[in-house]
Amino acid sequence: MSLHLEHLNPEQLAAVTLPDEHALILAGAGSGKTRVLTTRIAWLIKGGRTTPARLLAVTFTNKAAREMLTRITAMLPANPRGMWIGTFHGLCNRMLRAHHREAGLPAAFQILDSQDQLALVKRLAKSLNMDEERFAPRELSWFINANKEEGVRARDVSVTDENTRRMADFYAAYDEQCQREGVVDFPELLVRSYELLKRNEILREHYAQRFQHILVDEFQDTNRLQYRWLKLFGVSGARYFCVGDDDQSIYTFRGAHVGNMADFEREFKVGTVIRLEQNYRSHGNILDAANALIANNRNRLGKNLWTAAGKGEPVRVFEAESDTDEARWIVDEAQALVRDGTSLSQMAVLYRSNAQSRVLEHTLFSRGVSYRVYGGLRFFERAEIKHALAYLRLVAMPDDDNAFLRVANFPPRGIGARSIEQLQDAARQAGSSLLAAAAGSKAAAFRTLIETLRQETQGLPLKEVVEHVVARSGLIEHYKTEREGADRVSNLEELVNAAATFSDEEREVESGEAADPLTAFLTHAALEAGEHQAGEGADALQMMSVHSAKGLEFDAVFISGMEEGLFPHEQSVSERDGLEEERRLAYVAITRARQRLYLSHAQTRMLHGQTRYNVPSRFLEELPQSLLKWLTPRFSRQKAFAPDFSRQTRTTIPSRSTMNREVGGFRIGQNVVHAKFGSGVIIDAEGQGGDARVQVNFGSHGVKWLAVSMAKLQAA
């Protein structure tokens, strides 16, 4: 079987045929990294430089591992038996199975998935009388996993307060319970394997002698413990071949440490760093935009993508008046592309926050355009939305038993399965609904909550009804305790936006004139949650978050919501290196496009239940204007970054230097609230001390200069 080395470009060939030495391969987006990695493995084996049994290849997903094995097998005359290739968890599991006694595990130990782990945590917390309000089970699971992923055992947890001490004690009790039951969670696989090799010198030496070549895919996504685990195999001279792209490191929230790449280069005295910069995916203008954007990040290992495919189309930029207008424009453009011969399945709409999908979904649904939400659920199918709708259904119709069963104990309030069974029996005997039968039971407090919500929302506008019920249900507080609960909170806030924009026309069309607003809105939600999403394999527009888009590519890509506070996300500005990760996210989004790239932003957007007046993203300014084609009619190159107050909702794109300038405690681009004029965004500032003043766009109240010392401004 041929390795087809003649089809490799010079840099790929150099990487594949490197002599036995440590190497770092900086593989840019679309540069053929998987091809290089698999061909390298086949080259080592076929050339007699090593045997399959002396290779360890690590990647991050089972799908990637299977693809690697398939490609390697196709290049070799025989099946490469004995080679260890798989994910970190898969390889650690293999090692622990082989050495279960040394690891202190039963031969048939079982692995807990996330749901199994949560169930065990709940059971243990109940037996230890842990207060669920103070120590939510999901928070306890997150605490345990976060520490394990850093290689920190319960005894080594840094205790700074009483809450941390209680959680560390629970962590210890949890580990003891897992040991008694002969089970391990996913993080335990890695930490137990690391500890086994660390303390058992004989085993460590055995594997270090066995594995001559350690090959790592997606190295930028490794966490600190994974890197420490990999280093244990190097004590007897193994050679490391690490492939990754520091510009695509976007999983810090999962523990990924992009610094591992620079640490590897330094600690292993890596003499060869090969940059794979030729891109086989995107046209030149798209790559030039990506290169210009990511160049603003500091401490990069550095590379510059290029292509032989030509410059292609300019990057198109559209400014919408509102998020609704933005969605309409995206759908219009998608339909135009279909007429020109591009299939829907080769188009993707990317967004920074999952909550953005609702307006887009509504427009697609209204226009009859097939779509599919990739890697997630449609808006009205998401669990947090279904929970909120169940509360609203009980407010509208207290006899709705399905809604009662969904949220009577969510967030948890001590109403267990046995209590529900007893309540169902009582309701059956009385011929009543579950809520009516709840008086005098453990669910009495829940019944009181629903009755109170009904009273408090009588006569309120629809938006205020939804806002009040979501706030008083406890859902937001519950999700704030989750490790990745911010997205769920944003979705709940987007539900309030949906109610605020639910029109009388939609109400009459979907529910008839007689329906009250809440009932009409619930009907609307049920209709949009129906089977409108395209099935697997159907030609459909792909919708997804930027994180979900990693590793995918499309002929045409729309990146929506390019606004300060959204992309980059408002939280990133205050976090260490947060802005750089946001820029890497934007880089990943841009490099998903093969032929056409569209960037859009809206002057106004409903966020967190309020209309926001937006400054376009600083990332738009970081793109060379020569690459861009502005589609907004009144825009010209000269006016793109100049003030224009011909319309009251107009904002400008401040430069980075002005964006970061503070005057009197305020900065350009900041959302503020004024006692008289309401919400606005600062678009200019000047002066210092008592002479400082800011210019604020208050939307319908116009643009106003205000002296900071006199203005009653507050950060939004």
Side-chain angles (χ1 to χ4, degrees):
M1 293 288 178
S2 171
L3 299 182
H4 298 293
L5 298 182
E6 68 274 11
H7 298 311
L8 301 176
N9 67 38
E11 291 74 25
Q12 290 174 333
L13 181 63
V16 166
T17 58
L18 274 172
D20 286 352
E21 61 179 275
H22 301 311
L24 178 61
I25 313 300
L26 294 179
S31 64
K33 71 174 180 62
T34 304
R35 184 182 193 182
V36 165
L37 195 61
T38 53
T39 308
R40 168 72 173 176
I41 292 171
W43 182 79
L44 287 170
I45 296 172
K46 194 172 182 180
R49 295 166 183 84
T50 190
T51 63
R54 307 203 73 178
L55 281 164
L56 177 72
V58 191
T59 188
F60 271 82
T61 66
N62 290 317
K63 180 182 177 182
R66 286 192 297 269
E67 182 184 352
M68 285 173 61
L69 191 56
T70 299
R71 290 198 192 190
I72 294 164
T73 302
M75 288 187 278
L76 295 174
N79 187 24
R81 291 183 178 178
M83 184 170 66
W84 280 39
I85 180 169
T87 64
F88 280 99
H89 290 126
L91 294 173
C92 288
N93 172 62
R94 184 171 178 175
M95 183 177 292
L96 292 174
R97 297 285 176 194
H99 308 288
H100 63 89
R101 289 190 185 86
E102 293 89 342
L105 291 169
F109 69 84
Q110 298 299 302
I111 300 172
L112 300 173
D113 63 20
S114 58
Q115 291 303 312
D116 293 332
Q117 182 191 33
L118 183 60
L120 190 154
V121 166
K122 287 179 177 177
R123 175 160 48 90
L124 182 60
K126 187 174 181 180
S127 71
L128 295 175
N129 296 316
M130 297 283 285
D131 181 0
E132 276 202 19
E133 295 294 322
R134 187 175 168 192
F135 301 102
R138 288 187 184 276
E139 179 73 5
L140 291 170
S141 294
W142 174 83
F143 178 84
I144 291 167
N145 293 343
N147 277 288
K148 285 189 178 186
E149 286 164 4
E150 291 289 328
V152 177
R153 287 296 190 189
R155 62 181 175 274
D156 302 318
V157 169
S158 176
V159 175
T160 56
D161 54 42
E162 178 61 18
N163 271 15
T164 307
R165 186 192 66 77
R166 289 288 304 278
M167 288 195 287
D169 290 344
F170 181 85
Y171 176 11
Y174 167 86
D175 269 355
E176 290 171 7
Q177 186 67 26
C178 287
Q179 190 67 31
R180 278 195 296 272
E181 296 183 16
V183 297
V184 297
D185 52 44
F186 274 101
E188 181 70 19
L189 289 170
L190 185 64
V191 72
R192 182 79 65 123
S193 176
Y194 173 77
E195 290 170 343
L196 171 64
L197 293 175
K198 186 76 174 171
R199 71 169 180 268
N200 192 317
E201 186 178 351
I202 295 174
L203 270 182
R204 184 170 68 251
E205 187 63 29
H206 163 74
Y207 282 107
Q209 289 285 351
R210 173 175 177 171
F211 297 129
Q212 286 182 320
H213 294 273
I214 314 293
L215 301 101
V216 188
D217 189 19
E218 303 285 8
F219 191 50
Q220 78 279 353
D221 292 335
T222 54
N223 63 31
R224 287 181 173 87
L225 181 59
Q226 288 163 343
Y227 179 47
R228 283 156 54 194
W229 182 81
L230 287 167
K231 288 197 293 184
L232 291 175
F233 299 107
V235 295
S236 296
R239 299 305 181 195
Y240 289 78
F241 187 90
C242 298
V243 182
D245 182 2
D246 56 323
D247 291 333
Q248 294 190 78
S249 179
I250 60 173
Y251 296 118
T252 299
F253 68 97
R254 293 182 187 168
H257 181 56
V258 66
N260 286 345
M261 299 186 77
D263 291 346
F264 168 66
E265 186 179 1
R266 184 185 69 256
E267 292 172 9
F268 284 79
K269 297 179 174 58
V270 175
T272 303
V273 176
I274 294 178
R275 289 167 171 79
L276 304 183
E277 297 174 304
Q278 184 172 359
N279 177 282
Y280 294 93
R281 175 188 301 157
S282 306
H283 284 164
N285 284 334
I286 294 170
L287 297 180
D288 289 347
N291 289 331
L293 179 73
I294 203 65
N296 289 278
N297 274 4
R298 307 178 307 272
N299 303 320
R300 295 174 60 228
L301 295 174
K303 65 186 177 312
N304 205 58
L305 298 178
W306 64 276
T307 180
K311 289 296 185 183
E313 299 280 337
V315 176
R316 290 166 169 82
V317 184
F318 181 77
E319 179 189 52
E321 290 188 9
S322 68
D323 48 354
T324 302
D325 291 331
E326 179 190 45
R328 289 176 186 145
W329 171 78
I330 288 172
V331 176
D332 285 342
E333 285 293 317
Q335 290 178 314
L337 288 173
V338 169
R339 290 192 292 272
D340 290 341
T342 304
S343 66
L344 282 172
S345 60
Q346 285 305 316
M347 301 180 216
V349 181
L350 310 184
Y351 34 78
R352 176 63 182 86
S353 167
N354 281 312
Q356 289 172 254
S357 79
R358 185 196 63 81
V359 175
L360 291 160
E361 287 184 59
H362 177 69
T363 306
L364 289 163
F365 170 55
S366 301
R367 298 279 191 87
V369 178
S370 294
Y371 71 92
R372 182 165 193 82
V373 178
Y374 179 92
L377 297 169
R378 288 173 297 158
F379 183 79
F380 285 109
E381 289 180 338
R382 293 165 188 163
E384 62 275 17
I385 299 302
K386 283 185 167 291
H387 289 325
L389 291 173
Y391 278 98
L392 290 165
R393 281 162 52 192
L394 285 170
V395 168
M397 180 64 69
D399 293 340
D400 189 333
D401 284 353
N402 279 335
F404 179 95
L405 290 170
R406 184 175 192 93
V407 293
N409 196 42
F410 196 93
R413 47 176 63 90
I415 306 172
R418 180 61 182 147
S419 298
I420 292 292
E421 287 177 16
Q422 291 171 345
L423 192 56
Q424 287 173 317
D425 290 341
R428 203 162 23 246
Q429 291 173 10
S432 70
S433 68
L434 293 174
L435 191 71
S441 71
K442 282 192 174 182
F446 177 68
R447 173 180 167 169
T448 300
L449 171 63
I450 298 301
E451 289 174 343
T452 302
L453 288 176
R454 296 194 77 207
Q455 293 167 4
E456 291 174 343
T457 56
Q458 285 293 321
L460 291 179
L462 175 61
K463 180 211 170 191
E464 293 181 28
V465 171
V466 176
E467 191 170 36
H468 185 78
V469 171
V470 167
R472 292 271 281 114
S473 66
L475 290 172
I476 289 178
E477 288 73 17
H478 172 79
Y479 287 122
K480 281 180 177 177
T481 67
E482 291 189 355
R483 182 180 187 179
E484 297 176 23
D487 228 15
R488 294 186 186 273
V489 172
S490 293
N491 287 336
L492 290 171
E493 291 168 341
E494 182 59 27
L495 183 65
V496 177
N497 295 344
T501 57
F502 184 62
S503 68
D504 290 338
E505 180 182 350
E506 288 173 311
R507 171 186 167 188
E508 291 181 16
V509 168
E510 295 177 353
S511 305
E513 291 185 39
D516 69 272
L518 179 55
T519 299
F521 179 67
L522 291 170
T523 301
H524 164 77
L527 289 171
E528 290 219 356
E531 289 302 319
H532 307 303
Q533 183 166 235
E536 291 286 352
D539 186 32
L541 181 70
Q542 306 296 301
M543 293 177 55
M544 65 197 76
S545 68
V546 180
H547 281 101
S548 297
K550 177 93 173 354
L552 303 176
E553 56 186 76
F554 305 91
D555 287 346
V557 170
F558 297 84
I559 307 176
S560 63
M562 295 293 291
E563 299 138 28
E564 284 295 308
L566 188 55
F567 203 2
H569 196 276
E570 56 194 354
Q571 293 178 352
S572 69
V573 179
S574 60
E575 294 175 353
R576 183 175 179 270
D577 298 329
L579 185 58
E580 297 217 343
E581 177 131 345
E582 290 291 300
R583 194 174 281 111
R584 292 195 293 267
L585 260 178
Y587 175 85
V588 166
I590 289 170
T591 54
R592 300 310 95 197
R594 296 191 193 105
Q595 299 165 11
R596 283 178 176 252
L597 175 65
Y598 298 84
L599 309 175
S600 61
H601 61 97
Q603 294 176 4
T604 64
R605 184 179 299 275
M606 289 286 287
L607 277 177
H608 314 307
Q610 294 182 338
T611 299
R612 298 274 289 269
Y613 298 89
N614 305 312
V615 172
S617 171
R618 69 186 73 192
F619 296 157
L620 289 174
E621 187 201 356
E622 294 173 358
L623 302 180
Q625 294 302 297
S626 59
L627 303 176
L628 308 182
K629 179 179 181 180
W630 295 88
L631 301 182
T632 310
R634 69 177 180 280
F635 252 143
S636 66
R637 170 64 187 92
Q638 290 74 27
K639 294 174 69 177
F641 297 110
D644 174 8
F645 300 126
S646 60
R647 304 183 59 163
Q648 289 182 325
T649 56
R650 181 79 183 103
T651 60
T652 65
I653 307 177
S655 67
R656 285 192 309 281
S657 60
T658 58
M659 184 80 74
N660 296 326
R661 189 176 77 234
E662 285 201 0
V663 172
F666 295 97
R667 59 178 171 76
I668 296 175
Q670 183 176 4
N671 287 284
V672 292
V673 177
H674 188 272
K676 179 178 179 182
F677 304 124
S679 298
V681 61
I682 297 176
I683 58 176
D684 201 358
E686 63 183 25
Q688 291 295 331
D691 296 326
R693 64 177 192 151
V694 292
Q695 190 178 40
V696 186
N697 182 348
F698 287 110
S700 60
H701 287 285
V703 176
K704 302 181 185 297
W705 278 102
L706 300 171
V708 172
S709 59
M710 303 290 289
K712 297 179 180 178
L713 281 179
Q714 291 183 336

